[in-house]
Amino acid sequence: MPEPSSLQDTRNQTEAPLLGAIEAGGTKYVCAVARDPKEPLLEARFPTGEPHETVSQALEFFRKAAAAHGTIRSLGIGTFGPARIDPVAADFGTILTTPKPGWSGFPLVAALRQELGTDLPVTFETDVNAAALGESLHGAAKGIRRVAYVTIGTGIGGGFLEDGRLLHGRLHPEIGHFAVPDLDAAFGKATQVCPFHDSCLEGRASGPAIAARWGKPGHELPDDHPAWELEADYLAIACQQLTAAWSPDLVLLGGGVSQKSGLVERVREAFLRRAGGYWDLPPVHDYIRLPALDQQAGIVGSLILAARAL
Ligand code: ZN
């Protein structure tokens, strides 16, 4: 359900440059300005609609914010993907092929700069990388060197951070499309909601996959429903793949689905069983954890990106 737009003024800050940020999610946009990324001065959230309408709402917010707090000196954006985040690419700042109506090929950074200033310093990142950054500086991953942040919600994505640096690869990681074995058959099911792949993590374990498989959304399924044993096992496979491919110090499980009571404990059990004692890892309750910033990780991370753009 769309959340009503809200504007909240928090406390006054002076001195440091004014930072602007957008957590550009697939279902909602969060906009904020701050001088200290931990303490947004003004924040607004609204549903992600078609691109021109969504961008005008964001610009309207930044106009009001600038009138109240001064000139915005830089912008940090954590966007849903896929997106061209490489700053030297000709189409930097563009949303790539997506099923979201109107967004494929939309030049988000250019559209914002048109109004906010063509020379405004901008850092454009994935929303999961922004959340990883937020957790790393101010949340559950504070002081930890190599962090994998996995979000499980409408889609599944992963952000990666090593010694403060976000990892990208050629485009950016998309662990939602990790290949996974078919664990559905043992439950007499055959759910796979990704239209591109026969059996991928997002197709099997995202919020929409849970709803399609069991006929109701996850938050309506009781804690002891078999749905959670299956979900935990798919997520444990993802943790094993991350461990094998990259060897992080910490795996954070974020997003709406991860909030399910008891799920992270089940993932840890399934992970230990699947890992077979092969890896030298921290204790599992330290290795696989829930984020600390909850819904704020993405916008705090995007404000840190804005600070880095300066
Ligand atoms: Zn897929």
Side-chain angles (χ1 to χ4, degrees):
M1 200 157 82
E3 295 177 51
S5 159
S6 67
L7 285 173
Q8 324 162 332
D9 216 337
T10 53
R11 75 163 136 132
N12 198 22
Q13 299 161 357
T14 46
E15 76 270 5
L18 189 66
L19 310 168
I22 305 177
E23 181 191 359
T27 50
K28 74 169 187 289
Y29 255 51
V30 183
C31 299
V33 293
R35 295 186 193 277
D36 173 350
K38 286 195 306 297
E39 294 176 16
L41 294 162
L42 201 62
E43 204 174 292
R45 33 190 85 214
F46 47 89
T48 308
E50 69 82 34
H52 293 282
E53 178 203 342
T54 307
V55 166
S56 358
Q57 280 180 274
L59 289 170
E60 177 62 24
F61 166 81
F62 288 119
R63 268 192 295 273
K64 280 186 194 162
H69 298 283
T71 308
I72 292 162
R73 300 295 178 188
S74 65
L75 186 64
I77 305 169
T79 183
F80 68 86
R84 189 69 71 198
I85 58 175
D86 178 356
V88 301
D91 57 350
F92 166 70
T94 298
I95 306 295
L96 304 177
T97 309
T98 168
K100 276 196 79 63
W103 284 93
S104 289
F106 183 75
L108 179 59
V109 170
L112 291 160
R113 271 183 170 155
Q114 205 168 14
E115 175 120 356
L116 298 172
T118 48
D119 54 355
L120 182 74
V122 174
T123 304
F124 189 56
E125 261 296 347
T126 62
D127 48 1
V128 276
N129 260 350
L133 190 59
E135 287 292 337
S136 163
L137 268 73
H138 301 298
K142 217 168 166 176
I144 293 175
R145 292 185 59 196
R146 289 146 297 232
V147 180
Y149 179 96
V150 183
T151 181
I152 307 114
T154 312
I156 294 183
F160 298 85
L161 189 135
E162 179 158 14
D163 293 329
R165 196 172 65 89
L166 295 164
L167 305 189
H168 293 136
R170 195 179 68 82
L171 181 64
H172 49 73
E174 289 201 66
I175 68 154
H177 304 278
F178 266 164
V180 291
D182 176 6
L183 306 180
D184 268 59
F187 289 75
K189 303 285 181 181
T191 302
Q192 157 58 37
V193 300
C194 173
F196 296 95
H197 304 122
D198 292 337
S199 186
C200 71
L201 186 64
E202 182 169 296
R204 300 283 193 184
S206 60
I210 295 170
R213 180 181 297 118
W214 305 104
K216 52 173 85 168
H219 64 84
E220 290 180 21
L221 298 170
D223 294 357
D224 60 353
H225 193 282
W228 302 115
E229 185 191 337
L230 180 57
E231 179 69 11
D233 214 8
Y234 277 127
L235 297 179
I237 290 170
C239 293
Q240 178 175 343
Q241 315 283 54
L242 289 168
T243 304
W246 188 49
S247 188
D249 296 305
L250 169 66
V251 180
L252 289 176
L253 300 180
V257 171
S258 308
Q259 307 287 317
K260 181 68 188 176
S261 158
L263 182 62
V264 70
E265 288 81 3
R266 287 175 184 267
V267 174
R268 288 171 183 149
E269 280 168 33
F271 172 76
L272 286 179
R273 182 164 37 78
R274 287 188 168 274
Y278 180 78
W279 286 283
D280 173 27
L281 293 170
V284 74
H285 55 269
D286 291 333
Y287 186 57
I288 300 173
R289 286 162 55 193
L290 294 172
L293 297 180
D294 195 26
Q295 304 302 315
Q296 284 298 102
I299 194 64
V300 168
S302 301
L303 285 163
I304 297 166
L305 291 171
R308 287 185 170 189
L310 283 168

